[in-house]
Amino acid sequence: MTTTASGPREGAESVRLVDFLARELARASVTHLFGVGGANIEDLYDAVHRAGTVRGVVAKHEFSAVTMADGYARTTGRLGVVAATSGGGAMNLVPGLAEAHASRVPVLALVGQPPTGQEGQGAFQDSSGKAGSFDARDVFAPVSRFCARVDDPDSFAELLPRALAAAQSTPRGPAVLLLPKDVQQARIPVPAHGEAQMPDDLAAASAAPPGAAAVAAVSDALRKASRVLVVAGEEVAATGAREDLAALARRLGAWVAVTPDAKDVFDNRDPRFAGVAGVMGHANVEDCLRRADLCLLVGTRLPLLARGGLDRALTATDIVCLGSEPPFVAGSTLGGNLRDALRAVAARLPSDPRPCPPHAGPVPAPVPSRRAREGIVPLTRAVAAVEAALPQDAHVFVDAGNAGACAIHLLPAPRHGRFVVAVGMGGMGYTFGAGIGAALATGRRTYVLAGDGSFFMHGMEVHTAVEYGAPVTFVILNNNAHAMCALRERFLQGRARDDDLFAPTDLAAGAAAAFPSLPATEATDAAQLRGALLHGNAGDGPALVSVACDPLEIPPFLPFRSFAAEGTRTTETAEATKSKEGSDERKAVHVG
């Protein structure tokens, strides 16, 4: 397309495009820009530094820079912004943007590109789609709501608001702008209207109210039901609808369960709380579902992780869904803005609270005991120590694996903070960047709960936390393994390979040596773990605590639960068990 930058209109005030961009980000209430520098994005960092209204944060890896923007967005409700240079830097954004796309997180990615005059001329890191190079738009389009290459500087005043709107409209997700270096440096006229405006068509779509007839139908169904189970999801948090959910639950006298990625949307200590639904959840949820006349999904499509083990009970129960997207299970749907839908439905119900029927509550699943070993802390005790130390206004970010399954099952969400699990793509190492982004955005103590496998992927973002003084406590549950993989191999494949079992590492000693200012502790029991966490709470910056765990401890994870009563099995027993399981049951709990 355009190969030369056009100049500003005669007589109009002009600024560098990157200076205009920095100003517009600040006007959009963006306070931080996360990224990794490079020649084709350095002009944006220069503009951010000169303006002084948005803080530029340099990460160690572009994936973590995206997750910083993701954690920023999930804890503030504002747009997260990430910047990266061309080539490998740009490609490293893809898995993080895929998570934001799948989890409906608003992120703007600003991606540097070689100068337009070098496109198709053998430019270093050329991804223009010319002369045999691949086209970056083909890479980013599938993981974004909007993707455009800014070939003409004068088009930027139109493309930027479209990108901002697309990221924050339903369904939310990433928007990507590809910015050639010469375009970033070009001077453009300042738009007469000043601040970029959301396009009318996207604004109208975002504000669509629920239909009156659909509201009446849902309200009538709920009024007739004597027992209702609510299953609430992440959209409740994303739309700020926690109080509306609680008010509806009181009017219905409903039990309330939550999906694995939405543990913070309802008070975990409320007597109505039924537990977590799905493969890392509580048996009480299935019991309540079987007793319910109606299951009300609020802000969740009920994906497999949230419905694993519940499919048979769901088919026997009437289902109604409130949310911006249709569910993965059969039922009637009331779409539109979730808060508006909750309020509209509640307004048609009797205002007096109804009593909640008795139920068992979120009783933890039994965990098979293993022989105690000195210095090895059971995951259940480690999570209990975290619970005892966790401030109620803290944020919690839980990584993938056995440690994550235990935290989701056992750790109550803080009353006034987020409890975030990235189940969109489930990428290991997500929490290190996300926790830093959340801590820098909010200034609150943020806990990152991760295994050693996740640490080895992206744990060097601890350096970023140290550099910026982020109040993050990194809790590393170190079983010296990819333990969930090891258990799958042992139980589901009938054999035990040693590929995923590693030699011991002292992560706390390593971190202490690398970062002398970082309080780093190797906890050898639950009491020492709790003490180290409390010490971290008292500080202003980051802290790291590592605790040794058993790689063969069985977590509360439904695919493993049939083995919990007996612990480790022989190959023959495992194969016999596999043949006894029905294909439908195995499909119901199959996760990656």
Side-chain angles (χ1 to χ4, degrees), residues 69-144:
D70 180 301
Y72 172 103
R74 295 200 204 210
T75 51
T76 65
R78 300 194 298 269
L79 178 74
V81 182
V82 62
T85 193
S86 52
M91 296 303 99
N92 285 339
L93 296 173
V94 172
L97 294 178
E99 168 59 40
H101 183 280
S103 292
R104 310 306 193 241
V105 180
V107 171
L108 173 65
L110 303 167
V111 186
Q113 296 285 278
T116 55
Q118 298 178 10
E119 293 174 354
Q121 303 298 317
F124 179 58
Q125 299 179 333
D126 187 1
S127 57
S128 65
K130 298 177 181 179
S133 66
F134 71 89
D135 192 332
R137 289 172 295 189
D138 294 337
V139 175
F140 289 109
V143 293
S144 64

Side-chain angles (χ1 to χ4, degrees), residues 10 48 119 174 180 193 199 214 310 375 384 414 434 471 492 531:
E10 184 177 354
V48 166
E119 293 174 354
H193 58 72
L310 301 177
L492 302 179

Side-chain angles (χ1 to χ4, degrees), residues 5 25 50 208 288 355 384-385 393 429 440 450 483 532 542 554-555:
L25 292 178
R50 289 173 182 270
C288 290
D393 63 348
L440 291 176
I554 301 175

Side-chain angles (χ1 to χ4, degrees), residues 209-221 223 320 322 332-335 341 344-345 348:
V215 169
V218 169
S219 301
D220 290 345
R223 192 182 298 110
V320 173
L322 307 185
S332 56
T333 302
L334 176 58
V345 169
R348 296 179 63 94

Side-chain angles (χ1 to χ4, degrees), residues 295-503:
C295 178
L296 177 65
L297 307 182
V298 179
T300 177
R301 304 179 73 188
L302 211 64
L304 182 58
L305 281 180
R307 73 175 190 271
L310 301 177
D311 279 309
R312 290 185 177 179
L314 286 166
T315 58
T317 309
D318 290 336
I319 297 174
V320 173
C321 178
L322 307 185
S324 61
E325 297 183 79
F328 294 114
V329 294
S332 56
T333 302
L334 176 58
N337 181 277
L338 181 61
R339 283 178 62 179
D340 291 346
L342 284 166
R343 292 173 181 179
V345 169
R348 296 179 63 94
L349 298 174
S351 58
D352 293 335
R354 287 169 55 181
C356 175
H359 65 118
V363 178
V367 176
S369 59
R370 288 180 55 81
R371 179 174 58 86
R373 289 187 288 159
E374 184 177 358
I376 301 296
V377 180
L379 286 171
T380 52
R381 294 182 188 177
V383 173
V386 172
E387 180 183 357
L390 183 67
Q392 287 303 300
D393 63 348
H395 301 303
V396 178
F397 284 77
V398 177
D399 220 298
N402 286 1
C406 280
I408 291 167
H409 189 79
L410 297 171
L411 181 63
R415 283 191 170 93
H416 308 296
R418 291 298 326 264
F419 189 105
V420 176
V421 187
V423 299
M425 289 289 107
M428 292 173 65
Y430 160 89
T431 58
F432 291 93
I436 292 169
L440 291 176
T442 66
R444 295 191 196 178
R445 176 60 51 181
T446 300
Y447 274 44
V448 165
L449 305 183
D452 55 300
S454 295
F455 177 85
F456 285 125
M457 290 190 179
H458 291 285
M460 282 300 99
E461 293 300 336
V462 170
H463 178 270
T464 309
V466 172
E467 285 289 299
Y468 292 92
V472 183
T473 299
F474 300 97
V475 184
I476 312 302
L477 301 166
N478 182 10
N479 50 32
N480 294 296
H482 287 164
M484 185 167 283
C485 295
L487 287 175
R488 290 184 66 87
E489 292 155 8
R490 179 172 296 248
F491 293 141
L492 302 179
Q493 295 184 330
R495 61 188 184 277
R497 302 194 303 269
D498 60 3
D499 311 48
D500 291 305
L501 300 175
F502 312 138

